[in-house]
């Protein structure tokens, strides 16, 4: 082969090799981009389904609450919430449906659920009462919504174990197995996971989401202590020597705190008054030796020694060998739910594993309670006739507007066995709130 031809041959081979490298690199780049796009679509689809599930679960809860209420203001409030959730659910639904999926029934349900609740509200505003048929219709809506939410839980779970897939080109949701295809289109009872399928308020008890005010009322005007004084108190709570504590600095904000630690243990003492604000004292839990009632007793004894008397235990939750009890301040047979302290007790050793008194420190103060304008018996008559009364008490609850209301607290149950707390304002006679009670082996929860 002549030199000229040889050089031309080498150049051709080099060019082809370079071209192969370019093509290979391009393939990798496009593959990476395609994979990113696929992951982006998958994440977007899952997000749309999750938002839909969240709103459907909200609808289910509010429909169930409507079965317990019997007044125009409360039904109006629930109807408004149902309207909002239904509108948001429609947006999520529009992002995951396609021509192959029949979702007309779901759209119809979302359109009617808020309308029907407000129609019942208008009926009550005309001094009419809800009939047995009205409550049966509400119950049917609740059952349908509950069934839909349950089915969605299974479907979204399937997108993670790959039994359910999303189309690559769109965010349309399709079923991975042929035998399940009809189940999704038949009313979308298996559409997405209910991400909010847990109590809104875990073991915090009623109104725990509302307890933190803007100003620390209990420590306001209290005498300031020094860091050394706070350190002495912290060592006593953690049952260690002061020299073993590490100074973690100060915490500012509504509550000003001195913070300390000892290994994994941490504690904070208020600068004003020197009160225990929070403490974590983690331990490895072994076999439980105490029952929840015994744990509550130890927690209450601890609170008294810590300078928090008159605390009444209400709801609790047990997890991984630790029982967390919710306490609320109680005076003259009135429970003040905003004055909240949580205490966690290890069920194997009986030691205090954690304390959080921020709710009490932020909200506890002297209160001038209004005189009741309606009697307990009159308030009881405002309950739904389908409910069975288990007990009654007085309680001060925080409203959504930030103001507190003195109410009769009625512990009731429905024919199905569902228990709830219904609050009737002692001055207006209006239903102030409804909370569902959930009982499990792990504790008592509210929703």
């Amino acid at each position: 082969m002549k030199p000229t031809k040889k050089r031309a041959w080498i150049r051709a081979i080099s060019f082809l090799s370079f071209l192969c490298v370019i093509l290979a690199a391009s393939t990798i780049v496009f593959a990476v981009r395609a994979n990113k796009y696929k992951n982006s679509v998958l994440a977007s689809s899952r997000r749309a389904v999750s938002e839909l599930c969240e709103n459907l679960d909200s609808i289910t809860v509010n429909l169930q609450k409507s079965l317990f209420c019997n007044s125009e203001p409360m039904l109006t409030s629930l109807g408004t919430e149902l309207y909002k959730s239904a509108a948001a659910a429609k947006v999520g639904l529009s992002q995951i449906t396609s021509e192959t999926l029949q979702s007309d029934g779901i759209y119809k349900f979302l359109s009617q659920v808020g309308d029907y609740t407000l129609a019942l509200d208008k009926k009550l505003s005309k001094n009419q009462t809800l009939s047995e048929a009205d409550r049966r219709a509400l119950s049917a809506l609740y059952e349908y919504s509950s069934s839909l939410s349950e089915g969605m839980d299974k479907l979204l779970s399937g997108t993670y174990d790959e039994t359910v897939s999303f189309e690559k080109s769109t965010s349309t949701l399709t079923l991975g197995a042929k035998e399940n295809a009809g189940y999704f289109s038949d009313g979308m009872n298996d559409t997405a996971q209910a991400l909010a399928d847990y109590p809104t308020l875990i073991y915090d008890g009623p109104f725990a989401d509302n307890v933190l005010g803007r100003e620390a009322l209990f420590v306001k005007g209290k005498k300031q202590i020094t860091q050394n004084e706070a350190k002495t108190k912290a060592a006593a709570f953690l049952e260690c020597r002061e020299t073993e504590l590490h100074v973690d600095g100060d915490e500012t904000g509504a509550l000003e705190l001195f913070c300390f630690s000892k290994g994994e243990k941490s504690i904070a003492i208020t600068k004003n008054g020197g009160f225990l604000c929070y403490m974590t004292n983690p331990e490895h839990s072994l076999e439980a030796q105490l029952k929840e009632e015994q744990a509550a007793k130890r927690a209450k004894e601890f609170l008294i020694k810590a300078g928090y008397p008159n605390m009444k235990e209400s709801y609790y939750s047990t997890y991984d060998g630790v029982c967390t009890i919710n306490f609320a301040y109680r005076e003259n047979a009135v429970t003040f739910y905003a004055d909240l302290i949580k205490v966690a007790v290890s069920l194997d050793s009986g030691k205090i594993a954690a304390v959080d008194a921020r709710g009490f420190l932020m909200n506890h103060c002297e209160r001038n309670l209004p005189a009741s304008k309606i009697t307990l018996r009159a308030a009881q008559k405002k309950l739904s006739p389908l409910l069975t009364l288990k007990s009654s008490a007085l309680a001060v609850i925080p409203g959504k507007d930030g103001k507190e209301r003195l109410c009769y607290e009625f512990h009731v149950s429905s024919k199905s066995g569902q228990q709830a707390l219904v609050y009737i304002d002692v001055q207006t006679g209006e239903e102030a709130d409804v909370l569902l009670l959930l009982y499990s082996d792990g504790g008592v929860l509210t929703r």
Side-chain angles (χ1 to χ4, degrees), residues 207-437:
F207 316 106
D209 290 344
N210 306 80
V211 299
L212 295 181
R214 297 179 180 178
E215 184 181 19
L217 299 178
F218 181 63
V219 297
K220 184 179 180 181
K222 296 286 194 302
K223 182 182 176 181
Q224 285 200 352
I225 66 171
T226 66
Q227 186 181 75
N228 286 335
E229 290 173 324
K231 195 173 187 180
T232 300
K233 290 176 177 287
F237 283 121
L238 290 179
E239 299 180 339
C240 67
R241 294 189 298 271
E242 292 182 38
T243 54
E244 297 179 272
L245 289 179
H246 178 267
V247 177
D248 291 339
D250 300 350
E251 187 173 317
T252 60
L255 277 170
E256 295 191 348
L257 310 170
F258 290 116
C259 303
F260 309 92
S261 64
K262 179 182 180 288
E264 294 182 351
K265 302 177 180 180
S266 62
I267 189 169
I269 306 294
T270 64
K271 291 184 178 181
N272 285 17
F275 294 95
L276 172 64
C277 179
Y278 64 80
M279 179 179 75
T280 58
N281 186 19
E283 291 189 5
H284 298 292
S285 297
L286 302 175
E287 185 177 353
Q289 302 295 325
L290 301 178
K291 295 182 178 180
E292 281 77 7
E293 294 79 7
Q294 294 171 306
K297 183 179 179 182
R298 294 201 179 191
K300 192 170 186 177
E301 291 172 350
F302 175 86
L303 289 178
I304 293 173
K305 291 180 180 178
Y308 296 116
N310 303 322
M311 302 302 295
K312 174 67 176 177
E313 68 275 14
S314 52
Y315 303 94
Y316 72 90
S317 175
T318 300
Y319 176 75
D320 201 20
V322 176
C323 180
T324 302
I325 307 104
N326 170 77
F327 288 85
Y329 183 74
R330 187 174 176 83
E331 183 179 2
N332 297 326
V334 180
T335 301
F336 298 82
Y337 279 116
D339 300 359
L340 171 71
I341 301 180
K342 292 179 289 183
V343 183
V345 180
S346 175
L347 293 179
D348 63 343
S349 65
K351 290 185 178 181
I352 304 300
V355 179
D356 186 351
R358 278 173 282 207
F360 184 92
L361 294 169
M362 293 296 293
N363 295 284
H364 184 66
C365 62
E366 291 291 331
R367 295 173 171 93
N368 294 317
L369 298 181
S372 300
K373 293 184 178 180
I374 64 170
T375 64
L376 175 65
R377 179 171 294 184
Q380 185 177 331
K381 289 180 179 179
K382 293 181 176 293
L383 297 174
S384 167
L386 300 181
L387 301 177
T388 300
L389 179 64
K390 300 177 72 67
S391 64
S392 59
L394 281 171
V396 173
I397 66 174
K400 295 179 181 179
D401 57 359
K403 297 179 180 179
E404 292 186 330
R405 303 174 71 174
L406 177 61
C407 298
Y408 292 110
E409 179 186 62
F410 293 105
H411 183 184
V412 298
S413 64
S414 65
K415 291 181 179 179
S416 66
Q418 172 66 59
Q419 298 188 41
L421 298 174
V422 178
Y423 294 90
I424 305 293
D425 192 298
V426 301
Q427 288 191 297
T428 64
E430 297 176 348
E431 284 178 315
D433 213 330
V434 177
L435 292 176
L436 306 179
L437 292 177

Side-chain angles (χ1 to χ4, degrees), residues 1 66 74 99 102 106 109 113 117 119 126-127 144 182 193 247 255 310 339 377 380 386 390 442:
M1 183 180 294
S66 70
M74 180 54 64
E99 295 178 357
Q102 302 299 320
I106 303 300
F109 165 73
V113 64
T117 311
K126 296 177 181 178
N127 295 320
Y144 181 77
Q193 180 186 17
V247 177
L255 277 170
N310 303 322
D339 300 359
R377 179 171 294 184
Q380 185 177 331
L386 300 181
K390 300 177 72 67

Side-chain angles (χ1 to χ4, degrees), residues 24 58 129 133 178 190 308 382 427 435 440:
S58 175
T129 58
K178 290 182 179 179
D190 262 353
Y308 296 116
K382 293 181 176 293
Q427 288 191 297
L435 292 176
S440 69

